[in-house]
Each structure stands twice: as structure tokens, then as C-alpha cells.
Amino acid sequence: MAQDAFHVPVQKSRALQRRDWAGQMIAPSADQGTKGPSSFVAKTFTVDNPANARLHISAFGLYRAFLNGKRIGEDYLTPGWTNYDNRIDFQSYDLSDLLTAGQNHLEIWLGDGWYRSQMMWRDMKVFNCWGERIAAIAEIEAEGQVLLSTDDSWTSGLLPVTKSGIYYGEDHDARIVPKPTHGVEVLTFDTALLVAAECDPVAALPAIEPVESWVDPDGTTVHDFGQNAAGVCRIEVTGDAGAEVYIDYAEVLGPNREFDRRNYREARAAQKYTHAGHGTECWEPVFTFVGFRYARVKVTGNAQVLSIVSVPLTSVPRRAGGFTCDLPLVNRLVENTIWSQRGNFIEIPTDCPQRDERMGWTGDAQVFAGTACWLADCNRFFTSYLRDVVHDQRPNGAVSYFSPDPTRIHPKLAKGNWAGSTGWGDVVTVMPWQHYLHYGDPSVLRENFGAMQRWLDYLWSISEGPIIRPNSVWGGPGFSFGDWLQPIGDNRKPRPTISDDCAATLYHFISTDLAARTAEIIGETEAAERLAARRDEIRAAFEAEYFTQTGRLAHNDQTSYALAFLHDLVPECHFEAAKTYFRRVIEDAHHKIGTGFIGTPALLPALSKLGMDDLAEKVFLNREVPGWLYQVEQGATTIWERWDAIGPDGTIYEPSMNSYNHYAYGAVCQWLFEYVAGCRPVPEAPGFDLVMLAPAILPALGQVSMWHDCRHGQIEAGWHIDGSHAHYSVTLPKGCTGLLAADPSRPILSVNGENTDVPEGGLKLPPGNHKIVFAI
Ligand code: BGC
């Protein structure tokens, strides 16, 4: 169950807030561009009364600020990552402990960050994506009085950070003492772009010590932190001035424990420290992060690394939920999902934190949105990300493959203008919907409704009708990733896979349905009717195109059945037959998963919805490839990008396109919370005003328990089996009513010790503790 330290109330979503700035955006004249060292801007100033002083600060690039030599705040990678041409976050810090009466010195370090270090990969690299100049804007105010602000009187100089970049890593020469050698240039800048930080800053989790260290044959020392995470290494080092410590990273080792970093592709992803010779020095990089489990240390010259720890970074440091059962492999799978969320929720939801990619892929975020909200408070995080998505939306309504999107800004350099894939762009309907279910705030639906409609018009336009026939040319107009990374099984006899047109049409339906429901909730009656009519048209066209007369789906694959059943696309006349086909498809696959990115989150919920929990249990607990527990048994500590990333003999499948920290398949956790533990948020009373209680009793899991911090407080639920009875306990916080669902497959014997008739529509349970007994 939850620990108290974890219990923090869910935050309210935040509208954009601006302020009037006295400060100007100033660029260090010392700056030498992306190939050069980092620079700072600084100012010495006096203050009579330091009481109640606050610093407001932001930057082009990344900043870290120091007042009188002390770091201000504990945040990482500020001001964060947004579509900087749309808005840039600023932070505000209380300076009570740092500002003194008399003379003070404010120094702002600037790094390239996402703003201008390399984005994208191979021959599509983009430098200076949002601008060529790094710069800072800051002001200190107290009780309405401006005590200091950035202007042309500031100085600048070079930093000991001799090079940094998101993919590059960071080099630091501690012998370099920052000196003011230059002035600054005031840049033309519209301060209306600056908005108060929209979500929590990136924070460091408790540092992780190595669990094992050894020396490789080449003399380098390898440290295993036992946990794949995204962050930096902090070292303590002693030695001679000029001695170097070079650290690079890996997520996995080869079959003979060789350090394997092929999946970082061209990302240098390393950090280098040059010792100043001042005894024991402690250092960690400032302007970068990387995903890793292993660190390899090479020392050149006379230096000794006294300690090394992994410092995981994340925008979601506090857990909002947990799920455990009697099977350690399942519990580890949940932990792995949490770690993948942490490592990929750094400012925006990314695909992976290690290779030269790390982009806010919309499809990954879309399929994981529900799970994400169970495991962490994503209220503000998703609200902010959706603003980036909407800003990237093309004039024709196409939503970009990832957001923030360098291909929108630099289509020539990025060799494409990537937007419009179904399953990916549907983030504009699915994410606001999941957000609404969890946080109950219709303003996010309202904020994104225009984008939803534009997206739907675009989808319709691809093939001028309900059935979408995607372009097969990668990145071309109307291209779709389909059910990306769907396993096809044994090459000699591949398993059936969904076609791109069927996958695209299914999502066309899902998004139209969600937009129609959204319109109704926000009172757009006319739009709601229009969208509902369109949804029905897609439903009819889907049936005509993809159902055979005997009720079989055209591709007879797991993804088609899962999505069609989950989203009520199976007509009455075909229901039983389609269900039988679905069962056979899974049995023919020997209960191995046959779904990719978009089918996976739907598979087990669809089986449970149909009452086929026996199958759901077998698929979930399958320990072979492809299956969730296979990777856990192989020692994974985060979720893999590919089902078959590492073979049973340790061989790596497609080494350069293989991330070991990709949360998408962790989306199965939503099923654990909503079906196995049986707690489902409902759109009629969102934000857990009402929670549907309908557990799927899977005997193989033994005892199950879950907790979740919703906006009303903590929900707890769990069950255990005793002979032919399942005992289900639920605790509901004040403000949260339960709706116990009737289900003939597991009749309710008693509720809180009493024989109770549960009406068809369910039995309402007030806040408090409840004990329900089911017959199984
Ligand atoms: C990313 C994915 C993404 C995909 C699109 C990959 O390179 O890592 O997670 O969704 O491209 O197909």
C-alpha cells in the first residue's frame, strides 16, 4: 500500500499565466554558437532590503542560476521544453535564503539544450532548431519593486562547461574559472511568449549506488546501477589538475557482459570531467541527461573516482498509484512501467531517453496516457504537452508524429514535414479524454476541441470518406504507422497482422466517437450531432468493409478484434461469431501477443470486457516471446521497445533500433488497475466522483491490491480468493462514490456482510471501507 510520503493531492490544471517583464532577453556576447563552450551572463548589484525577494527567470536554451555562488532552487533542465516559438516557461524562486543586504552577484549559466543542440538523427540533423542565440531573461522583485533585471549592463563570459547537448552529453573542465570577458546583446523578444511554469520542474530522484562494479579487459571500470533510468552520473573525484574522467553509458550488456551502446546510435551520450586539482571534487552535468543502467569510466592521467552514483531525473517524481499481486514478475513489470514513465516523462512524454531521438512521439503518448494517469499525477504535464501538440498541428489538420516538432520548423533540414499518421495524431482526442476521466476538468476538453475537429476533417480528407486508405510512402501525406512493431511470430509462418487501412479506420472511428462525446460534454450540441452522425457512418462502413458474412474480421488478427470489441464496433449479428474467432486467434498463437503499439493497450481490456478472463490471464502471464513477462524474466528493469529486443540466448535484435526504455507496452498497467483491480473512472462522473467497481478475478495472480491517489484522496482496492469465494475490499475517499457492477459470471454473495441484491445498473457504495464477496 501507499506510503504517506507519496500522498500528495492531485494538482489543479493551470491556465497560462503571463506577467509584465522589466527584464530584457540578453545574449552573452562571449557565446561561440553550438560548436563552442557554454557561456554565462552575470551582474553584481546591491540591495538595501532583501526581504520577500523573488527571482523570475527564463532562457533561450537551458539555464542554471547562482546567487552569490549558490545554486538557486533544485530544478533540472529549466526552463523546460515547449514549442519555444509558441511559449517558453519561466520559473519563480524565493530568494529569502540567498539574497543579502548589500552587494550580491547573480550568475546565469546557459546551455544549448533542446533549443539549439542537435535534434533528429542521421541525415536529418537539425541544429539551432528554435534559434541560434542562447540568452537569459531575469528579474528580481520584492513587494512590487524591481531590484534587478537583465539589460545591456550585464557581463558575459565562458563557462567550465566546454560543450553540452541533449544527445551529446556534457564536458566540464574544472580548471576554467568563469570570468566576465564580454558584454551582452539585448535581443528583440516578445515577453508575451513567457508563461509561468505549466507543470512541475524536472527533479532528481534519490541517487542510486552501483550494485556491482568491475574492470573490463581494456582497463575501464563498468558500474551496474541495477536499474535502467534517465539522468546523469554524479562523481566524486580526486587527482591532478588536467586528469580526465570520461563516462559513457549502456542500457544492456552483450552475452559476455560486453558494454553495448549500439542502440545510442549517433548520440555521443557521454560526460567528461577534467580535474582542477583542488582535492576531492564533486560533479554532475548541468545541461543534459541520458538513459542508462551501466556507466563505463575511463580515467586518463592521475585521478581516482572515489564514488559514482546514478541520479535519475523526471518530471513525475511522486507516484500516484501502485499494483501488486502474488507474482513477483508481475510486480516487477509494474515497477518497470513506472521507471519507463519516469525516464520518459522529462518535460514531455518521449519515446525513449537514450538514442539520438528522444522525441515526444504522439502515438506512444496516446496509448500510454491512461496508464500514465494511474501511476503519476499527469494533470499539468499532459495539459502542457497538448499545447505543444496543438501548436504543431498543420493547417490541414494533420497532427505531427512528435511534438515539439523540428520538422514543422525546418522541413528542409529534417527532410520531411512529418504529420498525419493515424494512431499517432489521435493523441488530440485520446489524451484529453483520459485526462478528463482522471481529473474531471472539462477545460482541457474545451481547449483541445478545435484541434480534434481539425484532425477529424483531415482524417476524412485522406481518402474522402470513412474508410482510410493510407499512403504507403513513409512520411508521405496520409501515411500511417499502422500497428507499429506488431510481432508477426515465426518467420516461416507469420501470424496475421492488421492492415494499415483497417488500423487507420479503427482509429478514425475511435477519435470521431471521442470527439462526439467531448462535444456533448462541453455543450457543443450541433457539433455533437454532426460528429455522432459521422461516427455512425464510419461504423457502418467498417462493418461493410471488414466483416465477412460469417462475422470474421478481414485480417483475423488480435489487434482488429481487440479494438473493434473494445470500441463497440462489432454488430449484434456478428457478436458471438466474432468472439469465437477472437478466441481462436489467441489460442492459435498459443496465447502469445500478436499486437503492436495500438493493439496492445486494447487486447486484455477487450478480452476482459468480453468475459474471456481465462484468455486474458494466459496472454498476460505467458513468459515466452512475445509477451510482457518474457522481458522481465530476461532481467529488464524498464519496458522494452520491442517484444523480441533480446533473444533467449542474449542476441540483440536490430541493435540500432532497439530501446530498452520505451513505455508503450507498459500500457497494460491500465488493465491491471481498471479490470483486474476493477476500478474504472467513468465519463458521467469523471475525476473519480464515481468509480466503477468490477474486478476480473484471475486466480493465477493470487492476492491483488492496488492504490491510487485521485483528486479526492486515496482509493484502495484488492481481492483474494478463499475456496470458491473471492473477497474484494475497497476503500473510497470522501467525495468518491463506488458503483459496484453486477456480473452474472461472478455473482455477488454479500456486500459488507449482508445479502444484497445488486440491480442491473450497479449498486452505489458511499465513501469508506467495503467488503464484497463474489462466488467464483
Ligand atoms: C519511435 C517510436 C515511434 C515510432 C513511430 C520510433 O522511432 O521510437 O516509439 O512511435 O518511431 O513509428
Coordinates of all heavy atoms in Angstrom, one line a residue, residues 121 265 350-352 354-355 357-365 401-402 418 421 424 474 479-482 484-485 597 641 657-659 662-664, ligand 1:
W121 N 18.0 12.9 -36.3 CA 19.1 11.9 -36.4 C 19.5 11.7 -37.9 O 18.9 12.3 -38.8 CB 18.7 10.6 -35.8 CG 17.3 10.2 -36.3 CD1 17.0 9.4 -37.3 CD2 16.1 10.6 -35.7 NE1 15.6 9.3 -37.4 CE2 15.0 10.0 -36.5 CE3 15.7 11.5 -34.6 CZ2 13.7 10.3 -36.2 CZ3 14.4 11.7 -34.4 CH2 13.4 11.1 -35.1
R265 N 23.0 4.8 -31.1 CA 23.2 5.3 -32.5 C 24.2 6.4 -32.5 O 25.3 6.2 -31.9 CB 21.8 5.7 -33.1 CG 20.8 4.6 -33.1 CD 19.7 4.8 -34.1 NE 19.0 6.0 -33.9 CZ 17.6 6.1 -34.1 NH1 16.9 5.1 -34.3 NH2 17.0 7.3 -33.9
T350 N 8.3 11.3 -24.0 CA 9.2 10.9 -25.1 C 9.1 9.4 -25.4 O 8.6 8.7 -24.5 CB 10.7 11.3 -24.8 OG1 11.1 10.6 -23.6 CG2 10.9 12.8 -24.7
D351 N 9.6 9.0 -26.5 CA 9.6 7.6 -26.8 C 10.7 6.9 -26.0 O 10.5 5.8 -25.5 CB 9.9 7.4 -28.3 CG 11.2 8.1 -28.8 OD1 11.6 9.0 -28.2 OD2 11.7 7.6 -29.9
C352 N 11.9 7.5 -25.9 CA 13.0 6.8 -25.3 C 14.0 7.9 -24.8 O 13.9 9.0 -25.3 CB 13.7 5.9 -26.3 SG 14.3 6.7 -27.7
Q354 N 17.5 7.5 -24.6 CA 18.9 7.3 -24.8 C 19.4 7.6 -26.2 O 20.4 8.3 -26.4 CB 19.2 5.8 -24.5 CG 18.8 4.7 -25.4 CD 17.3 4.6 -25.6 OE1 16.8 5.3 -26.5 NE2 16.6 3.8 -24.8
R355 N 18.8 7.1 -27.3 CA 19.4 7.3 -28.7 C 19.1 8.7 -29.2 O 18.5 9.5 -28.5 CB 18.8 6.2 -29.6 CG 17.3 6.4 -29.9 CD 16.8 5.3 -30.8 NE 15.4 5.3 -31.1 CZ 14.6 4.3 -31.0 NH1 15.1 3.1 -30.7 NH2 13.3 4.4 -31.3
E357 N 17.2 10.5 -30.6 CA 15.8 10.6 -30.9 C 15.1 11.4 -29.7 O 14.9 12.6 -29.8 CB 15.1 9.2 -31.1 CG 13.8 9.3 -31.9 CD 13.5 8.0 -32.7 OE1 14.4 7.2 -32.9 OE2 12.4 7.9 -33.0
R358 N 14.6 10.6 -28.7 CA 14.1 11.3 -27.5 C 13.0 12.3 -27.8 O 13.0 13.4 -27.3 CB 15.2 11.9 -26.7 CG 16.4 11.0 -26.5 CD 17.4 11.6 -25.5 NE 18.7 11.0 -25.7 CZ 19.7 11.4 -25.0 NH1 19.6 12.4 -24.1 NH2 20.9 10.9 -25.2
M359 N 12.1 12.0 -28.8 CA 11.1 13.0 -29.2 C 9.8 12.7 -28.5 O 9.5 11.5 -28.1 CB 10.9 12.9 -30.7 CG 12.2 13.0 -31.5 SD 13.1 14.5 -31.2 CE 12.2 15.6 -32.3
G360 N 8.9 13.6 -28.6 CA 7.6 13.5 -28.0 C 6.6 12.8 -28.9 O 5.6 13.4 -29.3
W361 N 6.9 11.5 -29.3 CA 6.1 10.8 -30.2 C 4.7 10.7 -29.7 O 4.4 10.2 -28.6 CB 6.7 9.4 -30.4 CG 7.9 9.3 -31.3 CD1 9.2 9.4 -30.9 CD2 7.9 9.2 -32.8 NE1 10.0 9.3 -32.1 CE2 9.2 9.2 -33.2 CE3 6.9 9.1 -33.7 CZ2 9.6 9.1 -34.5 CZ3 7.3 9.0 -35.1 CH2 8.6 9.1 -35.5
T362 N 3.8 11.2 -30.6 CA 2.4 11.3 -30.2 C 1.7 10.0 -30.0 O 0.8 9.8 -29.1 CB 1.6 12.2 -31.2 OG1 1.9 11.7 -32.5 CG2 2.0 13.6 -31.1
G363 N 2.1 9.0 -30.8 CA 1.4 7.6 -30.7 C 1.7 7.0 -29.4 O 0.9 6.4 -28.7
D364 N 3.0 7.0 -29.0 CA 3.4 6.4 -27.7 C 2.7 7.0 -26.6 O 2.2 6.4 -25.7 CB 5.0 6.6 -27.5 CG 5.8 6.2 -28.7 OD1 5.3 6.4 -29.9 OD2 6.9 5.6 -28.5
A365 N 2.6 8.4 -26.6 CA 2.0 9.1 -25.5 C 0.5 8.8 -25.5 O -0.1 8.6 -24.4 CB 2.2 10.6 -25.7
Y401 N 3.9 13.8 -36.0 CA 4.3 12.5 -35.4 C 4.9 12.7 -34.0 O 4.8 11.8 -33.2 CB 5.4 11.8 -36.3 CG 5.0 11.5 -37.7 CD1 6.0 11.0 -38.6 CD2 3.7 11.6 -38.1 CE1 5.7 10.7 -39.9 CE2 3.4 11.3 -39.4 CZ 4.4 10.8 -40.3 OH 4.1 10.5 -41.6
F402 N 5.6 13.8 -33.8 CA 6.1 14.1 -32.5 C 6.0 15.6 -32.2 O 5.9 16.4 -33.2 CB 7.5 13.6 -32.3 CG 8.4 13.7 -33.4 CD1 8.9 15.0 -33.9 CD2 8.9 12.6 -34.1 CE1 9.7 15.1 -34.9 CE2 9.8 12.7 -35.2 CZ 10.2 14.0 -35.6
W418 N 6.7 16.0 -41.1 CA 6.0 14.7 -40.6 C 4.8 15.0 -39.8 O 4.9 15.4 -38.7 CB 7.0 13.9 -39.7 CG 8.1 13.3 -40.5 CD1 8.3 13.3 -41.9 CD2 9.2 12.6 -40.0 NE1 9.4 12.6 -42.3 CE2 10.0 12.2 -41.1 CE3 9.6 12.2 -38.7 CZ2 11.2 11.4 -41.0 CZ3 10.8 11.5 -38.6 CH2 11.5 11.1 -39.7
S421 N -0.2 10.7 -39.1 CA -0.4 9.3 -39.0 C -1.5 9.0 -38.0 O -1.6 9.5 -36.9 CB 0.9 8.6 -38.5 OG 0.6 7.3 -38.1
W424 N -1.3 8.0 -34.1 CA -0.3 9.0 -33.5 C -1.1 10.3 -33.3 O -1.2 10.8 -32.2 CB 0.9 9.1 -34.4 CG 1.9 8.1 -34.1 CD1 3.2 8.4 -33.6 CD2 1.8 6.6 -34.1 NE1 3.9 7.2 -33.3 CE2 3.1 6.1 -33.7 CE3 0.9 5.8 -34.5 CZ2 3.3 4.7 -33.6 CZ3 1.1 4.4 -34.4 CH2 2.3 3.9 -34.0
W474 N 6.6 6.2 -46.6 CA 6.9 6.7 -45.3 C 6.9 8.2 -45.2 O 7.6 8.9 -46.0 CB 8.3 6.1 -44.9 CG 8.8 6.7 -43.6 CD1 9.4 7.9 -43.4 CD2 8.8 6.0 -42.4 NE1 9.7 8.0 -42.1 CE2 9.4 6.9 -41.4 CE3 8.3 4.7 -42.0 CZ2 9.5 6.5 -40.1 CZ3 8.4 4.4 -40.6 CH2 9.0 5.3 -39.7
F479 N 0.2 9.0 -44.7 CA 0.9 7.8 -44.2 C 0.5 7.4 -42.8 O 0.2 8.3 -42.0 CB 2.4 8.1 -44.2 CG 3.3 7.1 -43.5 CD1 3.6 5.9 -44.1 CD2 3.7 7.3 -42.2 CE1 4.3 4.9 -43.4 CE2 4.5 6.4 -41.5 CZ 4.8 5.2 -42.2
S480 N 0.5 6.1 -42.5 CA 0.1 5.6 -41.2 C 1.2 4.6 -40.7 O 1.6 3.7 -41.4 CB -1.2 5.0 -41.2 OG -1.5 4.5 -39.9
F481 N 1.5 4.7 -39.4 CA 2.4 3.7 -38.8 C 1.6 2.4 -38.5 O 2.2 1.4 -38.1 CB 3.0 4.2 -37.5 CG 4.0 5.3 -37.7 CD1 3.6 6.6 -37.3 CD2 5.2 5.1 -38.2 CE1 4.5 7.7 -37.5 CE2 6.1 6.1 -38.4 CZ 5.8 7.4 -38.1
G482 N 0.3 2.4 -38.7 CA -0.5 1.2 -38.5 C -0.3 0.7 -37.1 O -0.3 1.5 -36.2
W484 N 2.2 -0.3 -35.4 CA 3.7 -0.3 -35.3 C 4.3 -1.4 -34.4 O 3.8 -1.6 -33.3 CB 4.1 1.1 -34.9 CG 5.6 1.4 -34.7 CD1 6.2 1.6 -33.5 CD2 6.5 1.6 -35.8 NE1 7.5 1.9 -33.8 CE2 7.7 1.9 -35.1 CE3 6.4 1.5 -37.1 CZ2 8.9 2.1 -35.9 CZ3 7.6 1.7 -37.9 CH2 8.8 2.0 -37.2
L485 N 5.3 -2.1 -34.9 CA 6.0 -3.1 -34.2 C 5.1 -4.3 -33.8 O 5.4 -4.9 -32.7 CB 6.8 -2.5 -33.0 CG 7.9 -1.5 -33.3 CD1 8.7 -1.2 -32.0 CD2 8.8 -2.0 -34.4
F597 N 1.9 -1.4 -31.3 CA 1.7 -0.2 -30.4 C 0.2 0.1 -30.1 O -0.2 0.4 -29.0 CB 2.3 1.1 -31.0 CG 3.7 1.3 -30.5 CD1 4.6 0.2 -30.4 CD2 4.2 2.6 -30.3 CE1 5.9 0.4 -29.9 CE2 5.5 2.8 -29.8 CZ 6.3 1.7 -29.7
E641 N 11.3 -1.5 -26.1 CA 10.6 -1.0 -27.3 C 10.0 -2.2 -28.1 O 8.9 -2.1 -28.7 CB 11.6 -0.3 -28.2 CG 11.0 0.2 -29.5 CD 12.0 1.0 -30.3 OE1 13.2 0.9 -30.0 OE2 11.6 1.8 -31.2
M657 N 18.0 -0.1 -33.5 CA 16.6 0.4 -33.4 C 16.0 -0.4 -32.3 O 15.1 -1.2 -32.5 CB 15.9 0.2 -34.8 CG 14.5 0.8 -34.8 SD 14.5 2.5 -34.6 CE 12.7 2.8 -34.5
N658 N 16.5 -0.2 -31.1 CA 16.2 -1.1 -30.0 C 16.4 -0.4 -28.7 O 17.5 -0.3 -28.2 CB 17.1 -2.3 -30.1 CG 16.4 -3.6 -29.5 OD1 15.5 -3.4 -28.7 ND2 16.8 -4.7 -29.9
S659 N 15.3 0.1 -28.2 CA 15.4 0.9 -27.0 C 14.9 0.0 -25.8 O 14.0 -0.8 -26.0 CB 14.5 2.1 -27.0 OG 14.0 2.4 -25.8
H662 N 11.1 2.2 -23.3 CA 10.1 2.7 -24.2 C 8.8 2.3 -23.5 O 8.4 1.1 -23.5 CB 10.2 1.9 -25.5 CG 10.4 2.7 -26.7 ND1 11.6 3.3 -27.0 CD2 9.5 3.0 -27.7 CE1 11.5 4.0 -28.2 NE2 10.2 3.8 -28.6
Y663 N 8.0 3.2 -23.0 CA 6.9 2.8 -22.1 C 5.7 2.2 -22.8 O 4.8 1.6 -22.2 CB 6.4 4.0 -21.3 CG 6.1 5.3 -22.0 CD1 5.1 5.3 -22.9 CD2 6.8 6.4 -21.8 CE1 4.7 6.4 -23.6 CE2 6.5 7.6 -22.5 CZ 5.5 7.6 -23.4 OH 5.1 8.7 -24.1
A664 N 5.6 2.3 -24.2 CA 4.4 2.0 -24.8 C 3.7 0.7 -24.4 O 2.5 0.6 -24.0 CB 4.6 2.0 -26.3
Ligands
BGC1 C1 9.9 5.8 -32.0 C2 8.6 5.2 -31.7 C3 7.6 5.9 -32.6 C4 7.9 5.4 -33.9 C5 7.0 5.8 -35.0 C6 10.2 5.3 -33.4 O1 11.5 5.7 -33.9 O2 10.9 5.4 -31.1 O3 8.3 4.9 -30.4 O4 6.3 5.9 -32.2 O5 9.2 5.7 -34.3 O6 6.8 4.7 -35.7

